[in-house]
Amino acid sequence: MVKLTMIARVTDGLPLAEGLDDGRDMQDAEFYKQQVKALFKNLSRGHNEASRMSVETGPYIFHYIIEGRVCYLTMCDRSYPKKLAFQYLEDLKNEFERSYANQIETAARPYAFIKFDTFIQRTKKLYQDTRTQRNISKLNDELYEVHQIMTRNVQEVLGVGEKLDQVSQMSSRLTSESRIYAEKARDLNRQALIKKYAPFAIVVGVVIILFWAKNKIW
């Protein structure tokens, strides 16, 4: 069964559309939506290894296709046929390109094509029941094969981006710490010079004041 559907621009991970009714029957829908956004973020950094992939997450599985710098993603039960999931995405892709191909690159705000939800909901209904004659015919379509599409684990996929982020954060932290250390070192040197020459400066100051006072009196 199709649970979630989201569409995003690959170049920057900007969400373009999603199924508005998706996840209402799921208590942890927000958790999986956050995973989807993390996947989009990874894709925007160039971590996509294939234009079509399945990613296992808990009792569900993400399926996505990338075409024309757009990622079409759906989350289904693990038992839902992989072939139907990708044909569902193909239908979304074809209609989305037909409707918004010239506007995708210029979209400046999230969910700029939220009206596409109407088509998402209508198409999702066609794919929900795997026993309909229509879907049985699609499952038996030998011209559409999904055996070569790779399946990976969500921790493995997100881990790639997370490790790179950790390296970047560590580098930034070391640079910041080095700067702080240098500033502290300068402060310590300054304090050492003050401690070393302060007594001498005080004595000289007192002598000058006494000399000035003596001349005033005389």
Side-chain angles (χ1 to χ4, degrees):
M1 188 173 184
V2 175
K3 295 292 185 180
L4 298 175
T5 303
M6 299 181 75
I7 301 172
R9 190 166 58 197
V10 174
T11 50
D12 55 6
L14 182 74
L16 301 175
E18 72 172 71
L20 296 180
D21 290 334
D22 290 354
R24 289 191 176 181
D25 59 337
M26 298 169 55
Q27 292 183 346
D28 45 6
E30 194 56 37
F31 169 77
Y32 291 106
K33 285 185 178 182
Q34 290 303 316
Q35 282 194 338
V36 173
K37 290 177 181 177
L39 283 171
F40 288 155
K41 190 175 181 182
N42 266 17
L43 293 173
S44 71
R45 293 169 179 160
H47 299 157
N48 49 310
E49 298 181 2
S51 60
R52 282 160 172 73
M53 185 178 286
S54 297
V55 182
E56 296 174 338
T57 175
Y60 307 110
I61 186 164
F62 297 128
H63 302 287
Y64 73 73
I65 62 176
I66 299 173
E67 192 111 0
R69 297 185 180 182
V70 176
C71 180
Y72 306 85
L73 181 146
T74 186
M75 186 180 81
C76 308
D77 294 313
R78 288 204 184 202
S79 59
Y80 190 79
K82 190 174 185 178
K83 181 179 279 191
L84 284 184
F86 278 97
Q87 288 181 315
Y88 166 65
L89 292 175
E90 290 283 354
D91 285 354
L92 296 184
K93 175 187 73 70
N94 293 337
E95 180 64 18
F96 195 80
E97 288 181 343
R98 188 189 68 78
S99 303
Y100 306 113
N102 297 327
Q103 304 173 52
I104 293 170
E105 290 300 320
T106 57
R109 57 185 175 82
Y111 304 105
F113 311 115
I114 199 64
K115 291 182 180 179
F116 192 67
D117 167 66
T118 302
F119 184 82
I120 291 175
Q121 299 303 331
R122 187 166 65 244
T123 307
K124 187 170 71 171
K125 286 178 182 178
L126 296 175
Y127 280 89
Q128 291 294 55
D129 188 350
T130 61
R131 298 165 299 178
T132 64
Q133 187 59 47
R134 173 186 179 277
N135 289 335
I136 290 174
S137 297
K138 285 183 174 291
L139 287 171
N140 292 331
D141 183 2
E142 295 182 0
L143 296 177
Y144 192 90
E145 287 298 334
V146 294
H147 298 301
Q148 301 300 319
I149 295 176
M150 187 186 304
T151 299
R152 298 180 64 188
N153 183 272
V154 70
Q155 282 81 16
E156 181 185 1
V157 173
L158 294 182
V160 174
E162 287 174 358
K163 287 174 184 175
L164 290 176
D165 282 347
Q166 287 170 5
V167 171
S168 176
Q169 290 170 7
M170 186 178 296
S171 176
S172 298
R173 187 165 60 249
L174 288 173
T175 301
S176 177
E177 288 175 354
S178 296
R179 192 180 299 114
I180 293 171
Y181 176 80
E183 291 173 356
K184 286 184 176 179
R186 283 196 294 270
D187 288 340
L188 289 173
N189 287 334
R190 196 179 300 115
Q191 290 173 16
L193 288 172
I194 291 172
K195 287 180 180 179
K196 183 177 180 180
Y197 293 107
F200 176 74
I202 291 171
V203 170
V204 171
V206 170
V207 170
I208 291 173
I209 291 171
L210 290 174
F211 182 76
W212 177 80
K214 183 178 179 181
N215 287 337
K216 273 285 189 181
I217 294 171
W218 291 100

